[in-house]
Amino acid sequence: MKFETAIRPDSPEFAANAAAFQAQTDLLRARLSEVTRGGSAEHVARHRARGKLLVRDRVDRLCDSGTAFLELSSLAAWGQYDNAVPGAGIATGIGIVHGRPVMLIANDATVKGGSFFHETVKKHVRAQEIAANLLLPCLYLVDCGGAYLPEQDRVFPDRDHFGNAFWRQCRMSASGLAQIALVFGGCTAGGAYIPALADQVIMVEGQARIHLGGPSIVKVAVQEEVEGETLGGAEMHTTISGVCDYRVTTEAEGLALLRQLVADLPDPRAGWRPPREPLPPVFDAAELAGIVSADPRHPYDAREAMARLVDGSAFTEFKPEWGASAVCAFTAIHGCPVGIIGNNGALVSQAALKAAQFIQICDQRRIPLLFLHNITGFMVGTEAERGGIAKDSAKMVYAMANARVPKLSLIVGGSYGAGNYGMCGRGFRPDFLFAWPSARVATMSADIAANVMLQLRRGNLRQPPTQDELAEVEAKVRAQYAEQSDPYYATSRLWDDGIIEPAQSRDVLGLCLALLASRPDNEQFSPVYRM
């Protein structure tokens, strides 16, 4: 279907939106630049003085020249710990080594010695979860001081804490997914288990150390005086303990050897190539920044965003004249077939049923799903409730939750309440979830939350509120929702897999679809039921 755009790039409204988005993009770039510098200048200088590469330099040298690296959750822990833990002290992402995709999990020793905070664990585990889902080998670039001890109650004891990372590493190894560690620095306590549980281990002489208890712990525990190299250095572990398989003299030599180990791996993934010839969009992806209004209360046409993401700006809309607030379309991104679900306003019963049926069709035809979030939720009110919005929205949620095809989510604007659920929010485990700088995630908007809380306060008959008290309640609620629905608050807490620029969306989604499409399909798929 040929799409005719209603967007006028020379209009004042477009220019205002684009300017607002440019400011957001500049802020994102500034924050990404800040976190990718690593720890403090003093810690970076000390790291370099030891002859060690910075974490992203290691990644660059490991990956094939000229290939993409999809970094995940770059702004994890942003705004927390006085911003002293940039990127949560770890870099994760999918890179290409000898022509095959791999998951990279790399500690940044310039940030608290590579120690694990609560968000570090979440980011590490999320990378493992993606690797297991996509059948990717895991390469651990280890420079890790173990758990950050002041945070031990948020890092160590619970099911999804540090031990969960080791459990996943063991399970992936048992399933045939290679786990290979290259150790650059000191790995103490829990940090020692990352290489110890790997299938193959490389250590850099003079720098790498692996010990369950460092020299200070050994002295306290068993009254033994020993220096780090003797206790857990590369020579000892390669020639005596057998913990290490390969000893190298430089980081560059270690990275070259790691590349060779990857080249020697069998590939458990099915061979796959995009079934269509990729075509660039007719409409410029750069225009995405001018489409979404700077005022989140103003809607945009989801088709306009689709036309700048998909091949040839062409898509076949499903039920275009029914359930209009749900926009469902068959199309392709970088040659990969995909079914896209967007929304133009709140989803009414017809729209929810339409989306449920579309999801089932994609599931039957093995077409991946992409959800574009800009949703206040499902329709409310007497008419909506009598029309069955509760059961109809539940059908959409049910169909989405049980679809076995790959699922991607991109939060473009607001993603509120049950709308977040129906559009495959984080709780429904999309394979990848990214956000734009304009994203907002919360139970409801600040306006609605403030009105609800004011109504509840006014309903207190024992202590009727004064006008000043109501003003204070409203100010507190608005401040809370403004802070907690900010995209940097969300990405800091690993509620997404990273904030991306709108113009990058097509390439990021295309890379994710290519990775997901090569996942072997051993599922039995169900028929479509007209909802």
Side-chain angles (χ1 to χ4, degrees):
M1 180 182 79
K2 185 177 180 182
F3 179 77
E4 297 291 340
T5 184
I7 295 296
R8 297 293 175 264
D10 57 352
S11 68
E13 181 184 5
F14 184 97
N17 291 339
F21 238 105
Q22 186 59 53
Q24 293 179 330
T25 299
D26 291 343
L27 177 63
L28 172 61
R29 290 175 178 174
R31 292 181 172 180
L32 287 173
S33 176
E34 183 175 339
V35 300
T36 54
R37 285 196 293 267
S40 68
E42 293 78 12
H43 286 101
V44 169
R46 184 175 66 182
H47 187 83
R48 290 186 182 277
R50 292 171 174 168
K52 301 172 73 172
L53 294 170
L54 297 179
V55 63
R56 287 173 180 81
D57 293 334
R58 292 168 178 166
V59 170
D60 287 344
R61 293 198 182 195
L62 179 62
C63 293
D64 293 352
S65 177
T67 60
F69 176 65
L70 177 62
E71 185 166 343
L72 304 171
S73 301
S74 304
L75 291 164
W78 176 266
Q80 302 183 72
Y81 314 107
D82 295 322
N83 271 341
V85 192
I90 192 170
T92 64
I94 298 170
I96 307 297
V97 177
H98 275 294
R100 65 179 295 166
V102 297
M103 177 60 74
L104 299 177
I105 301 176
N107 306 110
D108 187 348
T110 69
V111 179
K112 304 294 184 181
S115 298
F116 274 69
F117 288 69
H118 178 68
E119 290 73 24
T120 318
V121 173
K122 290 185 71 174
K123 186 170 176 177
H124 184 111
V125 168
R126 175 59 178 156
Q128 291 177 305
E129 181 180 41
I130 291 172
N133 191 30
L134 299 180
L135 299 183
L136 301 179
C138 280
L139 309 184
Y140 301 90
L141 307 186
V142 193
D143 208 340
C144 172
Y148 184 66
L149 295 183
E151 285 266 304
Q152 73 88 25
D153 66 320
R154 301 178 69 228
V155 174
F156 172 72
D158 207 351
R159 190 195 75 162
D160 293 328
H161 286 174
F162 210 172
N164 184 28
F166 307 140
W167 178 80
R168 289 176 181 274
Q169 191 172 341
C170 296
R171 301 282 288 188
M172 283 193 285
S173 177
S175 73
L177 294 179
Q179 309 290 299
I180 307 176
L182 171 51
V183 184
F184 297 93
C187 301
T188 303
Y193 277 109
I194 299 173
L197 290 170
D199 305 324
Q200 294 169 289
V201 180
I202 306 167
M203 294 180 71
V204 180
E205 278 189 304
Q207 297 283 6
R209 295 174 186 171
I210 299 173
H211 31 57
L212 294 183
S216 59
I217 293 177
V218 169
K219 184 176 181 179
V220 172
V222 297
Q223 292 75 54
E224 179 186 344
E225 295 269 2
V226 62
E227 50 84 29
E229 193 67 24
T230 301
L231 181 64
E235 181 180 1
M236 190 282 291
H237 278 309
T238 308
T239 63
I240 299 174
S241 74
V243 169
C244 178
D245 303 301
Y246 309 97
R247 179 168 39 136
V248 295
T249 57
T250 65
E251 292 195 7
E253 184 184 349
L255 291 165
L257 177 55
L258 180 54
R259 283 181 54 81
Q260 185 55 50
L261 296 183
V262 172
D264 294 339
L265 291 175
D267 193 345
R269 297 151 52 88
W272 180 87
R273 292 291 182 273
R276 306 184 189 180
E277 184 69 27
L279 295 171
V282 172
F283 302 105
D284 191 349
E287 294 178 352
L288 286 166
I291 289 172
V292 179
S293 174
D295 185 343
R297 293 170 297 183
H298 292 173
Y300 77 101
D301 187 349
R303 299 173 187 85
E304 297 286 1
M306 292 180 185
R308 287 155 179 85
L309 292 173
V310 305
D311 290 5
S313 296
F315 47 85
T316 302
E317 200 170 334
F318 177 69
K319 289 184 182 294
E321 297 184 86
W322 193 77
S325 60
V327 180
C328 307
F330 299 102
T331 183
I333 296 177
H334 278 291
C336 304
V338 64
I340 303 184
I341 300 177
N343 62 284
N344 288 341
L347 297 181
V348 299
S349 282
Q350 285 185 341
L353 294 176
K354 168 181 169 178
Q357 185 182 351
F358 181 76
I359 290 167
Q360 287 191 318
I361 291 172
C362 289
D363 196 37
Q364 183 199 57
R365 297 177 184 175
R366 293 164 170 78
I367 299 172
L369 287 160
L370 168 61
F371 297 84
L372 298 179
H373 294 232
N374 185 36
I375 184 165
T376 55
F378 293 97
M379 184 57 70
V380 296
T382 303
E383 182 179 351
E385 297 295 353
R386 290 182 177 182
I389 189 61
K391 65 177 175 61
D392 293 335
S393 63
K395 288 176 181 177
M396 177 181 174
V397 171
Y398 186 89
M400 177 273 300
N402 286 289
R404 285 152 291 192
V405 294
K407 287 173 275 191
L408 305 175
S409 279
L410 179 60
I411 302 179
V412 172
S415 184
Y416 296 113
N420 173 271
Y421 295 163
M423 295 291 283
C424 198
R426 191 63 144 180
F428 287 83
R429 292 161 175 76
D431 294 283
F432 289 97
L433 187 154
F434 293 100
W436 284 2
S438 53
R440 297 290 184 273
V441 179
T443 52
M444 59 189 73
S445 69
D447 288 340
I448 296 176
N451 287 330
V452 169
M453 295 304 295
L454 288 172
Q455 189 66 29
L456 290 173
R457 184 67 186 90
R458 291 189 184 102
N460 189 329
L461 300 179
R462 292 185 178 180
Q463 292 183 314
T466 66
Q467 202 59 41
D468 288 343
E469 288 173 333
L470 291 175
E472 183 180 359
V473 168
E474 181 175 11
K476 285 183 177 179
V477 172
R478 288 187 179 278
Q480 176 193 357
Y481 274 74
E483 176 189 5
Q484 295 180 356
S485 63
D486 184 89
Y488 295 97
Y489 187 96
T491 202
S492 171
R493 287 153 180 81
L494 281 296
W495 296 351
D496 54 48
D497 292 318
I499 302 177
I500 61 176
E501 296 182 23
Q504 295 175 328
S505 301
R506 171 176 160 82
D507 289 341
V508 169
L509 293 170
L511 178 57
C512 293
L513 285 167
L515 291 163
L516 290 162
S518 57
R519 181 174 60 189
D521 172 17
N522 298 316
E523 299 264 18
Q524 293 296 316
F525 284 74
S526 302
V528 174
Y529 296 99
R530 299 185 67 84
M531 306 291 284

